[in-house]
Amino acid sequence: MNQIELIRALPKAELHVHIEGTFEPELMFAIAQRNQIQIPYQSVEEVKHAYNFHNLQSFLGIYYAGANVLVHEQDFYDLAWAYFEKCAEDRVVHTEMFFDPQTHTERGVEFATVLAGLKRAC
């Protein structure tokens, strides 16, 4: 077993991860389309390109663009479930997941909606 295989095989912990920051471009684009919410990207490729951020502000731009598409319980479920699937693939056996409720409640999304979707995915 080489070093890469060993690292892949080892169980891992992921500490202090904000679930909104785990949004994969394909899922962000799909949820935006499902909810008919405009994002400043015309394609999945543009979203992927935006993930090449260079500073905090460019990261926050895509972070909030992604957060804005999260409206329904199913959206939060889909986001968390995609993250958990990635965790399983990477052998993450413990995660310390955070979420940003005020980002959503300020947009009129009920706290209970956010929590229900995340809890159901857990």
mmCIF file of all heavy atoms in Angstrom, residues 26-77:
data_model
loop_
_atom_site.group_PDB
_atom_site.id
_atom_site.type_symbol
_atom_site.label_atom_id
_atom_site.label_comp_id
_atom_site.label_asym_id
_atom_site.label_seq_id
_atom_site.Cartn_x
_atom_site.Cartn_y
_atom_site.Cartn_z
ATOM 1 N N GLU A 26 -22.366 21.446 -9.161
ATOM 2 C CA GLU A 26 -23.495 20.801 -9.843
ATOM 3 C C GLU A 26 -24.776 20.899 -9.015
ATOM 4 O O GLU A 26 -25.859 21.155 -9.547
ATOM 5 C CB GLU A 26 -23.174 19.328 -10.133
ATOM 6 C CG GLU A 26 -22.058 19.115 -11.138
ATOM 7 C CD GLU A 26 -20.649 19.209 -10.552
ATOM 8 O OE1 GLU A 26 -20.495 19.424 -9.333
ATOM 9 O OE2 GLU A 26 -19.697 19.079 -11.333
ATOM 10 N N LEU A 27 -24.654 20.681 -7.715
ATOM 11 C CA LEU A 27 -25.831 20.737 -6.850
ATOM 12 C C LEU A 27 -26.338 22.163 -6.713
ATOM 13 O O LEU A 27 -27.550 22.400 -6.733
ATOM 14 C CB LEU A 27 -25.523 20.130 -5.474
ATOM 15 C CG LEU A 27 -26.694 20.075 -4.496
ATOM 16 C CD1 LEU A 27 -27.859 19.251 -5.072
ATOM 17 C CD2 LEU A 27 -26.238 19.507 -3.164
ATOM 18 N N MET A 28 -25.434 23.122 -6.575
ATOM 19 C CA MET A 28 -25.852 24.521 -6.483
ATOM 20 C C MET A 28 -26.654 24.920 -7.721
ATOM 21 O O MET A 28 -27.721 25.524 -7.617
ATOM 22 C CB MET A 28 -24.638 25.442 -6.354
ATOM 23 C CG MET A 28 -25.015 26.913 -6.241
ATOM 24 S SD MET A 28 -23.607 28.039 -6.382
ATOM 25 C CE MET A 28 -22.589 27.501 -5.030
ATOM 26 N N PHE A 29 -26.149 24.569 -8.866
ATOM 27 C CA PHE A 29 -26.816 24.915 -10.117
ATOM 28 C C PHE A 29 -28.171 24.208 -10.222
ATOM 29 O O PHE A 29 -29.168 24.809 -10.607
ATOM 30 C CB PHE A 29 -25.918 24.574 -11.302
ATOM 31 C CG PHE A 29 -26.236 25.340 -12.545
ATOM 32 C CD1 PHE A 29 -25.875 26.673 -12.665
ATOM 33 C CD2 PHE A 29 -26.912 24.733 -13.595
ATOM 34 C CE1 PHE A 29 -26.175 27.389 -13.824
ATOM 35 C CE2 PHE A 29 -27.214 25.437 -14.744
ATOM 36 C CZ PHE A 29 -26.847 26.771 -14.863
ATOM 37 N N ALA A 30 -28.208 22.933 -9.838
ATOM 38 C CA ALA A 30 -29.457 22.162 -9.912
ATOM 39 C C ALA A 30 -30.525 22.737 -8.982
ATOM 40 O O ALA A 30 -31.697 22.861 -9.361
ATOM 41 C CB ALA A 30 -29.194 20.700 -9.580
ATOM 42 N N ILE A 31 -30.142 23.087 -7.751
ATOM 43 C CA ILE A 31 -31.124 23.637 -6.800
ATOM 44 C C ILE A 31 -31.564 25.024 -7.252
ATOM 45 O O ILE A 31 -32.751 25.367 -7.150
ATOM 46 C CB ILE A 31 -30.576 23.636 -5.363
ATOM 47 C CG1 ILE A 31 -30.421 22.189 -4.868
ATOM 48 C CG2 ILE A 31 -31.498 24.424 -4.430
ATOM 49 C CD1 ILE A 31 -29.793 22.059 -3.485
ATOM 50 N N ALA A 32 -30.653 25.813 -7.791
ATOM 51 C CA ALA A 32 -31.027 27.136 -8.316
ATOM 52 C C ALA A 32 -32.076 26.980 -9.418
ATOM 53 O O ALA A 32 -33.084 27.707 -9.428
ATOM 54 C CB ALA A 32 -29.801 27.870 -8.837
ATOM 55 N N GLN A 33 -31.856 26.043 -10.310
ATOM 56 C CA GLN A 33 -32.828 25.809 -11.384
ATOM 57 C C GLN A 33 -34.147 25.294 -10.823
ATOM 58 O O GLN A 33 -35.219 25.750 -11.229
ATOM 59 C CB GLN A 33 -32.266 24.833 -12.410
ATOM 60 C CG GLN A 33 -31.204 25.444 -13.276
ATOM 61 C CD GLN A 33 -30.720 24.482 -14.341
ATOM 62 O OE1 GLN A 33 -30.603 23.279 -14.127
ATOM 63 N NE2 GLN A 33 -30.414 25.022 -15.516
ATOM 64 N N ARG A 34 -34.084 24.342 -9.900
ATOM 65 C CA ARG A 34 -35.297 23.770 -9.302
ATOM 66 C C ARG A 34 -36.142 24.860 -8.637
ATOM 67 O O ARG A 34 -37.359 24.855 -8.743
ATOM 68 C CB ARG A 34 -34.905 22.690 -8.300
ATOM 69 C CG ARG A 34 -36.080 22.068 -7.561
ATOM 70 C CD ARG A 34 -35.655 20.894 -6.715
ATOM 71 N NE ARG A 34 -34.938 21.287 -5.512
ATOM 72 C CZ ARG A 34 -34.144 20.488 -4.807
ATOM 73 N NH1 ARG A 34 -33.935 19.242 -5.200
ATOM 74 N NH2 ARG A 34 -33.558 20.912 -3.720
ATOM 75 N N ASN A 35 -35.473 25.788 -7.948
ATOM 76 C CA ASN A 35 -36.190 26.837 -7.224
ATOM 77 C C ASN A 35 -36.381 28.103 -8.050
ATOM 78 O O ASN A 35 -36.915 29.093 -7.539
ATOM 79 C CB ASN A 35 -35.451 27.175 -5.924
ATOM 80 C CG ASN A 35 -35.525 26.041 -4.933
ATOM 81 O OD1 ASN A 35 -36.415 25.200 -4.988
ATOM 82 N ND2 ASN A 35 -34.570 26.011 -4.013
ATOM 83 N N GLN A 36 -35.953 28.061 -9.296
ATOM 84 C CA GLN A 36 -36.069 29.201 -10.215
ATOM 85 C C GLN A 36 -35.474 30.467 -9.600
ATOM 86 O O GLN A 36 -36.085 31.532 -9.600
ATOM 87 C CB GLN A 36 -37.525 29.406 -10.640
ATOM 88 C CG GLN A 36 -38.091 28.210 -11.353
ATOM 89 C CD GLN A 36 -39.546 28.371 -11.747
ATOM 90 O OE1 GLN A 36 -40.269 29.177 -11.178
ATOM 91 N NE2 GLN A 36 -39.954 27.598 -12.727
ATOM 92 N N ILE A 37 -34.252 30.308 -9.089
ATOM 93 C CA ILE A 37 -33.525 31.419 -8.478
ATOM 94 C C ILE A 37 -32.324 31.734 -9.355
ATOM 95 O O ILE A 37 -31.546 30.846 -9.700
ATOM 96 C CB ILE A 37 -33.075 31.068 -7.045
ATOM 97 C CG1 ILE A 37 -34.315 30.897 -6.161
ATOM 98 C CG2 ILE A 37 -32.137 32.133 -6.491
ATOM 99 C CD1 ILE A 37 -34.009 30.422 -4.757
ATOM 100 N N GLN A 38 -32.203 32.994 -9.709
ATOM 101 C CA GLN A 38 -31.078 33.428 -10.527
ATOM 102 C C GLN A 38 -29.812 33.466 -9.680
ATOM 103 O O GLN A 38 -29.821 33.966 -8.559
ATOM 104 C CB GLN A 38 -31.337 34.829 -11.087
ATOM 105 C CG GLN A 38 -32.434 34.870 -12.138
ATOM 106 C CD GLN A 38 -32.004 34.200 -13.410
ATOM 107 O OE1 GLN A 38 -32.378 33.062 -13.673
ATOM 108 N NE2 GLN A 38 -31.214 34.875 -14.197
ATOM 109 N N ILE A 39 -28.756 32.918 -10.219
ATOM 110 C CA ILE A 39 -27.434 33.048 -9.617
ATOM 111 C C ILE A 39 -26.547 33.708 -10.670
ATOM 112 O O ILE A 39 -26.884 33.694 -11.857
ATOM 113 C CB ILE A 39 -26.862 31.692 -9.145
ATOM 114 C CG1 ILE A 39 -26.775 30.677 -10.287
ATOM 115 C CG2 ILE A 39 -27.669 31.137 -7.972
ATOM 116 C CD1 ILE A 39 -26.095 29.370 -9.920
ATOM 117 N N PRO A 40 -25.450 34.295 -10.256
ATOM 118 C CA PRO A 40 -24.625 35.029 -11.227
ATOM 119 C C PRO A 40 -23.746 34.133 -12.109
ATOM 120 O O PRO A 40 -22.672 34.543 -12.536
ATOM 121 C CB PRO A 40 -23.770 35.941 -10.329
ATOM 122 C CG PRO A 40 -23.707 35.252 -9.024
ATOM 123 C CD PRO A 40 -25.002 34.488 -8.890
ATOM 124 N N TYR A 41 -24.220 32.928 -12.388
ATOM 125 C CA TYR A 41 -23.474 31.978 -13.200
ATOM 126 C C TYR A 41 -24.427 31.363 -14.207
ATOM 127 O O TYR A 41 -25.560 31.030 -13.880
ATOM 128 C CB TYR A 41 -22.849 30.876 -12.328
ATOM 129 C CG TYR A 41 -22.150 31.439 -11.110
ATOM 130 C CD1 TYR A 41 -22.748 31.376 -9.858
ATOM 131 C CD2 TYR A 41 -20.917 32.071 -11.231
ATOM 132 C CE1 TYR A 41 -22.127 31.913 -8.743
ATOM 133 C CE2 TYR A 41 -20.291 32.613 -10.123
ATOM 134 C CZ TYR A 41 -20.904 32.535 -8.880
ATOM 135 O OH TYR A 41 -20.292 33.077 -7.782
ATOM 136 N N GLN A 42 -23.966 31.191 -15.415
ATOM 137 C CA GLN A 42 -24.821 30.667 -16.482
ATOM 138 C C GLN A 42 -24.710 29.159 -16.664
ATOM 139 O O GLN A 42 -25.525 28.568 -17.367
ATOM 140 C CB GLN A 42 -24.493 31.368 -17.810
ATOM 141 C CG GLN A 42 -24.713 32.866 -17.762
ATOM 142 C CD GLN A 42 -26.149 33.221 -17.397
ATOM 143 O OE1 GLN A 42 -27.101 32.697 -17.977
ATOM 144 N NE2 GLN A 42 -26.308 34.101 -16.415
ATOM 145 N N SER A 43 -23.696 28.559 -16.030
ATOM 146 C CA SER A 43 -23.486 27.121 -16.213
ATOM 147 C C SER A 43 -22.739 26.558 -15.012
ATOM 148 O O SER A 43 -22.164 27.302 -14.211
ATOM 149 C CB SER A 43 -22.668 26.864 -17.482
ATOM 150 O OG SER A 43 -21.341 27.348 -17.305
ATOM 151 N N VAL A 44 -22.729 25.241 -14.931
ATOM 152 C CA VAL A 44 -21.960 24.561 -13.885
ATOM 153 C C VAL A 44 -20.486 24.924 -14.025
ATOM 154 O O VAL A 44 -19.786 25.132 -13.029
ATOM 155 C CB VAL A 44 -22.178 23.036 -13.960
ATOM 156 C CG1 VAL A 44 -21.203 22.300 -13.048
ATOM 157 C CG2 VAL A 44 -23.611 22.677 -13.605
ATOM 158 N N GLU A 45 -20.011 25.017 -15.250
ATOM 159 C CA GLU A 45 -18.603 25.373 -15.479
ATOM 160 C C GLU A 45 -18.275 26.749 -14.922
ATOM 161 O O GLU A 45 -17.194 26.955 -14.359
ATOM 162 C CB GLU A 45 -18.263 25.298 -16.974
ATOM 163 C CG GLU A 45 -18.214 23.885 -17.510
ATOM 164 C CD GLU A 45 -17.265 22.977 -16.735
ATOM 165 O OE1 GLU A 45 -16.131 23.401 -16.414
ATOM 166 O OE2 GLU A 45 -17.671 21.840 -16.439
ATOM 167 N N GLU A 46 -19.198 27.698 -15.040
ATOM 168 C CA GLU A 46 -18.967 29.032 -14.464
ATOM 169 C C GLU A 46 -18.933 28.963 -12.940
ATOM 170 O O GLU A 46 -18.150 29.669 -12.312
ATOM 171 C CB GLU A 46 -20.040 30.024 -14.929
ATOM 172 C CG GLU A 46 -19.836 30.513 -16.329
ATOM 173 C CD GLU A 46 -20.797 31.635 -16.694
ATOM 174 O OE1 GLU A 46 -21.231 32.388 -15.797
ATOM 175 O OE2 GLU A 46 -21.104 31.761 -17.893
ATOM 176 N N VAL A 47 -19.771 28.131 -12.359
ATOM 177 C CA VAL A 47 -19.741 27.964 -10.906
ATOM 178 C C VAL A 47 -18.399 27.363 -10.498
ATOM 179 O O VAL A 47 -17.755 27.829 -9.546
ATOM 180 C CB VAL A 47 -20.912 27.085 -10.403
ATOM 181 C CG1 VAL A 47 -20.818 26.866 -8.905
ATOM 182 C CG2 VAL A 47 -22.255 27.708 -10.761
ATOM 183 N N LYS A 48 -17.956 26.337 -11.218
ATOM 184 C CA LYS A 48 -16.659 25.722 -10.915
ATOM 185 C C LYS A 48 -15.537 26.744 -11.001
ATOM 186 O O LYS A 48 -14.639 26.771 -10.154
ATOM 187 C CB LYS A 48 -16.380 24.555 -11.867
ATOM 188 C CG LYS A 48 -17.209 23.328 -11.579
ATOM 189 C CD LYS A 48 -16.877 22.219 -12.558
ATOM 190 C CE LYS A 48 -17.718 20.991 -12.272
ATOM 191 N NZ LYS A 48 -17.422 19.889 -13.202
ATOM 192 N N HIS A 49 -15.585 27.586 -12.012
ATOM 193 C CA HIS A 49 -14.556 28.613 -12.170
ATOM 194 C C HIS A 49 -14.579 29.591 -10.989
ATOM 195 O O HIS A 49 -13.524 30.015 -10.506
ATOM 196 C CB HIS A 49 -14.746 29.364 -13.485
ATOM 197 C CG HIS A 49 -13.729 30.421 -13.717
ATOM 198 N ND1 HIS A 49 -12.410 30.147 -14.002
ATOM 199 C CD2 HIS A 49 -13.829 31.771 -13.662
ATOM 200 C CE1 HIS A 49 -11.745 31.270 -14.120
ATOM 201 N NE2 HIS A 49 -12.578 32.272 -13.924
ATOM 202 N N ALA A 50 -15.773 29.916 -10.508
ATOM 203 C CA ALA A 50 -15.899 30.838 -9.373
ATOM 204 C C ALA A 50 -15.307 30.251 -8.099
ATOM 205 O O ALA A 50 -14.924 30.994 -7.193
ATOM 206 C CB ALA A 50 -17.366 31.208 -9.161
ATOM 207 N N TYR A 51 -15.225 28.926 -8.011
ATOM 208 C CA TYR A 51 -14.632 28.284 -6.837
ATOM 209 C C TYR A 51 -13.117 28.472 -6.774
ATOM 210 O O TYR A 51 -12.490 28.109 -5.789
ATOM 211 C CB TYR A 51 -14.985 26.797 -6.783
ATOM 212 C CG TYR A 51 -16.257 26.529 -6.016
ATOM 213 C CD1 TYR A 51 -17.486 26.465 -6.651
ATOM 214 C CD2 TYR A 51 -16.224 26.361 -4.631
ATOM 215 C CE1 TYR A 51 -18.648 26.233 -5.948
ATOM 216 C CE2 TYR A 51 -17.384 26.130 -3.912
ATOM 217 C CZ TYR A 51 -18.588 26.070 -4.574
ATOM 218 O OH TYR A 51 -19.741 25.853 -3.871
ATOM 219 N N ASN A 52 -12.531 29.049 -7.780
ATOM 220 C CA ASN A 52 -11.111 29.403 -7.741
ATOM 221 C C ASN A 52 -10.981 30.794 -7.125
ATOM 222 O O ASN A 52 -10.503 31.729 -7.760
ATOM 223 C CB ASN A 52 -10.502 29.363 -9.151
ATOM 224 C CG ASN A 52 -10.471 27.976 -9.708
ATOM 225 O OD1 ASN A 52 -10.167 27.027 -8.997
ATOM 226 N ND2 ASN A 52 -10.807 27.835 -10.978
ATOM 227 N N PHE A 53 -11.432 30.920 -5.891
ATOM 228 C CA PHE A 53 -11.422 32.237 -5.234
ATOM 229 C C PHE A 53 -10.012 32.579 -4.773
ATOM 230 O O PHE A 53 -9.172 31.703 -4.555
ATOM 231 C CB PHE A 53 -12.424 32.290 -4.080
ATOM 232 C CG PHE A 53 -12.455 31.083 -3.204
ATOM 233 C CD1 PHE A 53 -11.569 30.958 -2.155
ATOM 234 C CD2 PHE A 53 -13.373 30.066 -3.434
ATOM 235 C CE1 PHE A 53 -11.597 29.842 -1.346
ATOM 236 C CE2 PHE A 53 -13.407 28.950 -2.623
ATOM 237 C CZ PHE A 53 -12.517 28.832 -1.577
ATOM 238 N N HIS A 54 -9.785 33.882 -4.651
ATOM 239 C CA HIS A 54 -8.438 34.376 -4.358
ATOM 240 C C HIS A 54 -8.324 35.078 -3.015
ATOM 241 O O HIS A 54 -7.217 35.355 -2.561
ATOM 242 C CB HIS A 54 -7.984 35.323 -5.468
ATOM 243 C CG HIS A 54 -8.120 34.719 -6.832
ATOM 244 N ND1 HIS A 54 -7.295 33.715 -7.284
ATOM 245 C CD2 HIS A 54 -9.014 34.933 -7.824
ATOM 246 C CE1 HIS A 54 -7.658 33.357 -8.504
ATOM 247 N NE2 HIS A 54 -8.702 34.080 -8.857
ATOM 248 N N ASN A 55 -9.448 35.373 -2.422
ATOM 249 C CA ASN A 55 -9.436 36.064 -1.140
ATOM 250 C C ASN A 55 -10.778 35.820 -0.463
ATOM 251 O O ASN A 55 -11.669 35.177 -1.029
ATOM 252 C CB ASN A 55 -9.154 37.563 -1.316
ATOM 253 C CG ASN A 55 -10.137 38.230 -2.258
ATOM 254 O OD1 ASN A 55 -11.333 37.938 -2.269
ATOM 255 N ND2 ASN A 55 -9.639 39.141 -3.078
ATOM 256 N N LEU A 56 -10.919 36.340 0.734
ATOM 257 C CA LEU A 56 -12.147 36.108 1.495
ATOM 258 C C LEU A 56 -13.368 36.639 0.753
ATOM 259 O O LEU A 56 -14.405 35.975 0.701
ATOM 260 C CB LEU A 56 -12.045 36.751 2.881
ATOM 261 C CG LEU A 56 -13.284 36.619 3.761
ATOM 262 C CD1 LEU A 56 -13.641 35.150 4.016
ATOM 263 C CD2 LEU A 56 -13.089 37.369 5.072
ATOM 264 N N GLN A 57 -13.270 37.818 0.166
ATOM 265 C CA GLN A 57 -14.427 38.402 -0.509
ATOM 266 C C GLN A 57 -14.880 37.559 -1.695
ATOM 267 O O GLN A 57 -16.072 37.356 -1.900
ATOM 268 C CB GLN A 57 -14.138 39.832 -0.959
ATOM 269 C CG GLN A 57 -15.389 40.568 -1.396
ATOM 270 C CD GLN A 57 -16.480 40.576 -0.327
ATOM 271 O OE1 GLN A 57 -16.232 40.945 0.823
ATOM 272 N NE2 GLN A 57 -17.682 40.178 -0.683
ATOM 273 N N SER A 58 -13.941 37.034 -2.465
ATOM 274 C CA SER A 58 -14.352 36.207 -3.605
ATOM 275 C C SER A 58 -14.950 34.888 -3.123
ATOM 276 O O SER A 58 -15.857 34.350 -3.760
ATOM 277 C CB SER A 58 -13.200 35.983 -4.585
ATOM 278 O OG SER A 58 -12.119 35.321 -3.980
ATOM 279 N N PHE A 59 -14.468 34.365 -1.984
ATOM 280 C CA PHE A 59 -15.091 33.180 -1.399
ATOM 281 C C PHE A 59 -16.505 33.501 -0.925
ATOM 282 O O PHE A 59 -17.443 32.754 -1.189
ATOM 283 C CB PHE A 59 -14.276 32.635 -0.224
ATOM 284 C CG PHE A 59 -15.046 31.641 0.598
ATOM 285 C CD1 PHE A 59 -15.256 30.357 0.130
ATOM 286 C CD2 PHE A 59 -15.597 32.000 1.824
ATOM 287 C CE1 PHE A 59 -15.999 29.431 0.875
ATOM 288 C CE2 PHE A 59 -16.338 31.090 2.569
ATOM 289 C CZ PHE A 59 -16.533 29.801 2.094
ATOM 290 N N LEU A 60 -16.656 34.620 -0.227
ATOM 291 C CA LEU A 60 -17.986 34.986 0.285
ATOM 292 C C LEU A 60 -18.981 35.213 -0.845
ATOM 293 O O LEU A 60 -20.168 34.920 -0.688
ATOM 294 C CB LEU A 60 -17.893 36.215 1.188
ATOM 295 C CG LEU A 60 -17.186 35.992 2.515
ATOM 296 C CD1 LEU A 60 -17.034 37.317 3.268
ATOM 297 C CD2 LEU A 60 -17.892 34.952 3.369
ATOM 298 N N GLY A 61 -18.524 35.693 -1.976
ATOM 299 C CA GLY A 61 -19.417 35.886 -3.120
ATOM 300 C C GLY A 61 -20.079 34.591 -3.544
ATOM 301 O O GLY A 61 -21.300 34.529 -3.723
ATOM 302 N N ILE A 62 -19.300 33.547 -3.690
ATOM 303 C CA ILE A 62 -19.888 32.264 -4.096
ATOM 304 C C ILE A 62 -20.616 31.601 -2.935
ATOM 305 O O ILE A 62 -21.632 30.929 -3.126
ATOM 306 C CB ILE A 62 -18.855 31.322 -4.740
ATOM 307 C CG1 ILE A 62 -19.585 30.140 -5.370
ATOM 308 C CG2 ILE A 62 -17.812 30.861 -3.760
ATOM 309 C CD1 ILE A 62 -18.965 29.591 -6.583
ATOM 310 N N TYR A 63 -20.133 31.782 -1.725
ATOM 311 C CA TYR A 63 -20.792 31.236 -0.533
ATOM 312 C C TYR A 63 -22.227 31.759 -0.450
ATOM 313 O O TYR A 63 -23.173 30.984 -0.299
ATOM 314 C CB TYR A 63 -19.993 31.631 0.704
ATOM 315 C CG TYR A 63 -20.585 31.199 2.020
ATOM 316 C CD1 TYR A 63 -20.264 29.966 2.570
ATOM 317 C CD2 TYR A 63 -21.447 32.026 2.733
ATOM 318 C CE1 TYR A 63 -20.779 29.561 3.793
ATOM 319 C CE2 TYR A 63 -21.970 31.631 3.958
ATOM 320 C CZ TYR A 63 -21.634 30.406 4.480
ATOM 321 O OH TYR A 63 -22.153 30.012 5.689
ATOM 322 N N TYR A 64 -22.398 33.074 -0.578
ATOM 323 C CA TYR A 64 -23.741 33.651 -0.468
ATOM 324 C C TYR A 64 -24.596 33.387 -1.704
ATOM 325 O O TYR A 64 -25.810 33.234 -1.585
ATOM 326 C CB TYR A 64 -23.669 35.145 -0.144
ATOM 327 C CG TYR A 64 -23.239 35.391 1.279
ATOM 328 C CD1 TYR A 64 -22.051 36.018 1.582
ATOM 329 C CD2 TYR A 64 -24.020 34.941 2.344
ATOM 330 C CE1 TYR A 64 -21.654 36.214 2.902
ATOM 331 C CE2 TYR A 64 -23.631 35.128 3.656
ATOM 332 C CZ TYR A 64 -22.450 35.766 3.929
ATOM 333 O OH TYR A 64 -22.063 35.946 5.230
ATOM 334 N N ALA A 65 -23.978 33.285 -2.868
ATOM 335 C CA ALA A 65 -24.745 32.909 -4.066
ATOM 336 C C ALA A 65 -25.340 31.521 -3.873
ATOM 337 O O ALA A 65 -26.502 31.279 -4.202
ATOM 338 C CB ALA A 65 -23.859 32.948 -5.308
ATOM 339 N N GLY A 66 -24.546 30.612 -3.309
ATOM 340 C CA GLY A 66 -25.046 29.269 -3.035
ATOM 341 C C GLY A 66 -26.098 29.271 -1.952
ATOM 342 O O GLY A 66 -27.144 28.635 -2.084
ATOM 343 N N ALA A 67 -25.840 29.984 -0.873
ATOM 344 C CA ALA A 67 -26.799 30.027 0.238
ATOM 345 C C ALA A 67 -28.147 30.573 -0.227
ATOM 346 O O ALA A 67 -29.192 30.118 0.246
ATOM 347 C CB ALA A 67 -26.242 30.873 1.378
ATOM 348 N N ASN A 68 -28.135 31.491 -1.163
ATOM 349 C CA ASN A 68 -29.387 32.105 -1.625
ATOM 350 C C ASN A 68 -30.316 31.135 -2.335
ATOM 351 O O ASN A 68 -31.516 31.391 -2.424
ATOM 352 C CB ASN A 68 -29.095 33.299 -2.528
ATOM 353 C CG ASN A 68 -28.662 34.502 -1.742
ATOM 354 O OD1 ASN A 68 -28.963 34.648 -0.552
ATOM 355 N ND2 ASN A 68 -27.940 35.391 -2.391
ATOM 356 N N VAL A 69 -29.798 30.034 -2.846
ATOM 357 C CA VAL A 69 -30.671 29.081 -3.539
ATOM 358 C C VAL A 69 -31.347 28.118 -2.567
ATOM 359 O O VAL A 69 -32.261 27.391 -2.941
ATOM 360 C CB VAL A 69 -29.944 28.301 -4.663
ATOM 361 C CG1 VAL A 69 -29.236 29.253 -5.610
ATOM 362 C CG2 VAL A 69 -28.997 27.254 -4.122
ATOM 363 N N LEU A 70 -30.893 28.116 -1.310
ATOM 364 C CA LEU A 70 -31.453 27.221 -0.294
ATOM 365 C C LEU A 70 -32.697 27.858 0.306
ATOM 366 O O LEU A 70 -32.602 28.832 1.058
ATOM 367 C CB LEU A 70 -30.404 26.956 0.797
ATOM 368 C CG LEU A 70 -29.110 26.305 0.320
ATOM 369 C CD1 LEU A 70 -28.047 26.377 1.401
ATOM 370 C CD2 LEU A 70 -29.365 24.872 -0.104
ATOM 371 N N VAL A 71 -33.849 27.288 -0.025
ATOM 372 C CA VAL A 71 -35.122 27.880 0.392
ATOM 373 C C VAL A 71 -36.004 26.868 1.117
ATOM 374 O O VAL A 71 -36.638 27.211 2.113
ATOM 375 C CB VAL A 71 -35.890 28.427 -0.844
ATOM 376 C CG1 VAL A 71 -37.233 29.000 -0.441
ATOM 377 C CG2 VAL A 71 -35.042 29.454 -1.586
ATOM 378 N N HIS A 72 -36.030 25.649 0.621
ATOM 379 C CA HIS A 72 -36.948 24.633 1.123
ATOM 380 C C HIS A 72 -36.204 23.583 1.948
ATOM 381 O O HIS A 72 -34.995 23.407 1.803
ATOM 382 C CB HIS A 72 -37.673 23.955 -0.044
ATOM 383 C CG HIS A 72 -38.355 24.926 -0.946
ATOM 384 N ND1 HIS A 72 -39.483 25.609 -0.577
ATOM 385 C CD2 HIS A 72 -38.037 25.349 -2.197
ATOM 386 C CE1 HIS A 72 -39.849 26.414 -1.560
ATOM 387 N NE2 HIS A 72 -38.993 26.271 -2.559
ATOM 388 N N GLU A 73 -36.946 22.874 2.774
ATOM 389 C CA GLU A 73 -36.352 21.803 3.575
ATOM 390 C C GLU A 73 -35.563 20.847 2.694
ATOM 391 O O GLU A 73 -34.456 20.424 3.053
ATOM 392 C CB GLU A 73 -37.443 21.044 4.331
ATOM 393 C CG GLU A 73 -36.913 19.878 5.135
ATOM 394 C CD GLU A 73 -38.006 19.078 5.835
ATOM 395 O OE1 GLU A 73 -39.040 19.647 6.218
ATOM 396 O OE2 GLU A 73 -37.795 17.858 6.001
ATOM 397 N N GLN A 74 -36.104 20.495 1.537
ATOM 398 C CA GLN A 74 -35.432 19.558 0.634
ATOM 399 C C GLN A 74 -34.073 20.086 0.191
ATOM 400 O O GLN A 74 -33.126 19.315 0.004
ATOM 401 C CB GLN A 74 -36.307 19.251 -0.582
ATOM 402 C CG GLN A 74 -35.753 18.168 -1.479
ATOM 403 C CD GLN A 74 -35.696 16.809 -0.784
ATOM 404 O OE1 GLN A 74 -36.627 16.427 -0.077
ATOM 405 N NE2 GLN A 74 -34.607 16.074 -0.980
ATOM 406 N N ASP A 75 -33.950 21.393 0.034
ATOM 407 C CA ASP A 75 -32.676 21.989 -0.379
ATOM 408 C C ASP A 75 -31.595 21.746 0.673
ATOM 409 O O ASP A 75 -30.465 21.379 0.343
ATOM 410 C CB ASP A 75 -32.832 23.494 -0.604
ATOM 411 C CG ASP A 75 -33.909 23.838 -1.610
ATOM 412 O OD1 ASP A 75 -34.213 22.995 -2.489
ATOM 413 O OD2 ASP A 75 -34.457 24.954 -1.514
ATOM 414 N N PHE A 76 -31.963 21.965 1.932
ATOM 415 C CA PHE A 76 -31.003 21.762 3.018
ATOM 416 C C PHE A 76 -30.677 20.274 3.175
ATOM 417 O O PHE A 76 -29.531 19.912 3.435
ATOM 418 C CB PHE A 76 -31.536 22.374 4.316
ATOM 419 C CG PHE A 76 -31.615 23.864 4.241
ATOM 420 C CD1 PHE A 76 -32.797 24.494 3.892
ATOM 421 C CD2 PHE A 76 -30.496 24.646 4.486
ATOM 422 C CE1 PHE A 76 -32.871 25.877 3.802
ATOM 423 C CE2 PHE A 76 -30.551 26.033 4.397
ATOM 424 C CZ PHE A 76 -31.747 26.645 4.047
ATOM 425 N N TYR A 77 -31.678 19.449 2.992
ATOM 426 C CA TYR A 77 -31.463 18.011 3.014
ATOM 427 C C TYR A 77 -30.482 17.608 1.908
ATOM 428 O O TYR A 77 -29.510 16.896 2.155
ATOM 429 C CB TYR A 77 -32.791 17.263 2.841
ATOM 430 C CG TYR A 77 -32.584 15.780 2.614
ATOM 431 C CD1 TYR A 77 -32.463 14.909 3.690
ATOM 432 C CD2 TYR A 77 -32.486 15.259 1.330
ATOM 433 C CE1 TYR A 77 -32.250 13.551 3.495
ATOM 434 C CE2 TYR A 77 -32.275 13.916 1.115
ATOM 435 C CZ TYR A 77 -32.157 13.057 2.202
ATOM 436 O OH TYR A 77 -31.930 11.730 1.990
#
